[in-house]
Amino acid sequence: MNESTKIIHSIPVDPLTGAISVPIYQTSTYVQEQPGVNKGFDYSRTNNPTRAILERLIAELENGKNGFAFASGLAAIDAVAKILKPGDEVLAVDDIYGGAFRLFTQVYNNFGITIKFVDTTDVSNIERKISDKTKLIWLESPTNPLLKISDIAAIAKLAKSRGCLVCVDNTFATPIIQKPIDLGVDIIIHSATKYLGGHSDLIAGLVVTNSDELGEKIKFIQNSTGGILSPFDSWLVIRGISTLSLRMKEHSNSAAAVANFLVSRPEVDKVYFPGLESHVNHNIAKTQQKYFGGMVSFSLKNDTEENAVKLATSTKLFKLAESLGGTKSLVCSPSTMTHKSIPVESRRASGVVDSLLRLSIGLEDGQDLIDDLEQAFKKL
Ligand SMILES: *Cc1c(COP(=O)(O)O)cnc(C)c1O
């Protein structure tokens, strides 16, 4: 069966009433017949029928064992970090999401957990840095904003041989494009705020595990720390996922068209899109991804922030905003917005130059997006 069909029918019809839309169980507690005798639910922090459907759904989509829904992507990352103990080390992709960087370096470092960063696009870099203390490898692929791709299967194999877990932040790819558990990883997290929700109208996070043992740990942490997703937001994510397959195809097609257009522009210096043959990691992207995703970044030959801001504020369809994965196309200037807190020199050295712009390609017609960029280029 085609995956789009499978997803739509993995969302159950309500067995009680026949409601074709998942009911929102807006309740805190559940009546018990006898102490401890209930219908599988006793308190909504622990379990809620609407959230449970989302948790089952994301586990199925990622070919995992268990799913867990949290109040944000960062709460999901935080739950995974809580598996660790003082003295443990994390080896992470060097251009990790800024919020995850802050969490590990400014919160977990206070609890004796250290994080080291490495360019994970070359497996030998990990081989060199991994130690007996390394308990978790943290990957993003594609990364933000340069869309670097790491060989997930090769890294998972290395980690397994060293008794270390691998977690992939699959936010940019989504399970439609890439299934990290099939590539051998142990844990997946999502900021469902982005493509899974898909409409820029909620904040949510998900964790998927590849084993019941890890699932029990995350379940314990979820219930003990309480950062759960509400029934209504769970319902919004379920609704988002029902159209995910269609949307990812369309985002990816338009992104490829926009990337090719950018390559043809004389004002543009570098274009970052994993679908371009010129992308450094194109070959590995081709083997582990079904499509190339909806994100495109590019820099300008006249490499100044003013130039980038002029372009970003001259577009009409692309709205200037952080975040990604919604129906409306967005443009952001990482050097002045998402990556502002990174010291200038290390930011520039990593490729996030002053004129870099990141596009989240929405669901508008692809040619309309190209026309919008074209009129903005004329204003430079
Ligand atoms: C947005 C994002 C997060 C954080 O998710 P929130 O829902 O904003 O907490 C984590 N990882 C990636 C790749 C993201 O884009």
Side-chain angles (χ1 to χ4, degrees):
M1 196 189 289
N2 183 287
E3 189 169 33
S4 342
T5 313
K6 200 179 125 206
I7 294 172
I8 289 166
H9 289 275
S10 295
I11 302 169
V13 169
D14 180 36
L16 218 58
T17 62
I20 203 152
S21 166
V22 171
I24 301 170
Y25 283 90
Q26 195 68 44
T27 186
S28 60
T29 192
Y30 305 81
V31 176
Q32 311 195 9
E33 283 164 42
Q34 300 280 331
V37 181
N38 56 51
K39 296 182 164 68
F41 299 92
D42 56 9
Y43 189 60
S44 275
R45 170 166 29 74
T46 311
N47 205 356
N48 172 280
T50 312
R51 197 179 87 220
I53 286 171
L54 170 61
E55 293 178 330
R56 196 63 251 135
L57 182 63
I58 190 63
E60 251 182 70
L61 239 70
E62 290 285 17
N63 291 336
K65 276 265 177 184
N66 308 95
F68 304 93
F70 292 87
S72 69
L74 271 174
I77 295 171
D78 180 69
V80 176
K82 285 196 168 85
I83 291 176
L84 301 168
K85 295 192 172 64
D88 288 352
E89 265 179 26
V90 183
L91 211 49
V93 56
D94 52 4
D95 49 354
I96 189 171
Y97 175 73
F101 178 86
R102 185 176 52 201
L103 179 70
F104 280 111
T105 59
Q106 295 186 48
V107 179
Y108 280 96
N109 70 329
N110 293 329
F111 297 99
I113 292 160
T114 45
I115 184 160
K116 288 184 176 162
F117 298 96
V118 55
D119 178 358
T120 55
T121 59
D122 185 345
V123 187
S124 70
N125 290 336
I126 300 178
E127 221 157 355
R128 223 170 301 129
K129 283 237 177 146
I130 199 167
S131 78
D132 291 342
K133 286 185 182 166
T134 313
K135 292 294 177 314
L136 178 64
I137 294 177
W138 192 274
L139 295 179
E140 284 172 40
S141 185
T143 62
N144 175 29
L146 296 176
L147 309 168
K148 296 199 305 190
I149 311 287
S150 295
D151 186 341
I152 296 173
I155 295 168
K157 199 170 152 206
L158 169 66
K160 197 148 284 167
S161 76
R162 302 293 299 258
C164 156
L165 296 173
V166 181
C167 178
V168 170
D169 180 336
N170 207 25
T171 300
F172 272 38
T174 81
I176 301 300
I177 287 183
Q178 160 176 291
K179 297 204 196 291
I181 284 180
D182 290 353
L183 298 170
V185 317
D186 307 283
I187 307 170
I188 293 168
I189 75 99
H190 279 284
S191 170
T193 308
K194 316 294 168 50
Y195 288 111
L196 299 187
H199 295 74
S200 309
D201 54 10
L202 62 93
I203 301 283
L206 299 166
V207 177
V208 178
T209 64
N210 74 339
S211 73
D212 286 334
E213 189 196 342
L214 275 172
E216 272 163 33
K217 284 187 186 174
I218 299 289
K219 175 81 201 173
F220 181 79
I221 291 163
Q222 183 192 41
N223 189 43
S224 303
T225 59
I228 48 140
L229 192 63
S230 74
F232 182 65
D233 286 350
S234 296
W235 181 85
L236 279 175
V237 179
I238 294 167
R239 187 170 69 162
I241 288 174
S242 68
T243 57
L244 183 65
S245 177
L246 263 178
R247 287 188 287 109
M248 292 319 292
K249 231 180 282 181
E250 186 66 17
H251 285 302
S252 299
N253 282 338
S254 298
V258 167
N260 282 318
F261 164 76
L262 290 169
V263 167
S264 77
R265 289 303 303 192
E267 301 90 341
V268 171
D269 185 20
K270 294 199 170 76
V271 180
Y272 300 92
F273 180 67
L276 291 174
E277 272 175 37
S278 59
H279 188 282
V280 278
N281 311 124
H282 175 67
N283 283 335
I284 185 66
K286 230 171 29 181
T287 61
Q288 71 189 17
Q289 295 184 202
K290 189 168 168 194
Y291 312 119
F292 297 109
M295 302 299 294
V296 182
S297 296
F298 64 101
S299 60
L300 300 171
K301 283 183 185 145
N302 177 2
D303 181 31
T304 64
E305 265 169 24
E306 297 72 50
N307 211 26
V309 169
K310 175 81 187 139
L311 186 69
T313 52
S314 299
T315 54
K316 296 192 171 87
L317 298 177
F318 286 90
K319 302 298 183 192
L320 184 69
E322 293 184 11
S323 199
L324 58 121
T327 56
K328 284 191 173 76
S329 289
L330 303 178
V331 54
C332 92
S333 147
S335 67
T336 56
M337 296 164 75
T338 51
H339 290 58
K340 201 176 173 178
S341 61
I342 300 172
V344 181
E345 286 316 315
S346 60
R347 171 169 61 67
R348 285 183 186 145
S350 71
V352 184
V353 296
D354 297 1
S355 69
L356 192 81
L357 288 173
R358 187 192 76 180
L359 304 177
S360 167
I361 304 299
L363 295 176
E364 303 91 341
D365 177 75
Q367 189 57 48
D368 287 340
L369 294 176
I370 290 171
D371 293 347
D372 187 32
L373 289 169
E374 187 154 36
Q375 66 80 28
F377 274 119
K378 285 186 184 141
K379 298 204 172 119
L380 286 185

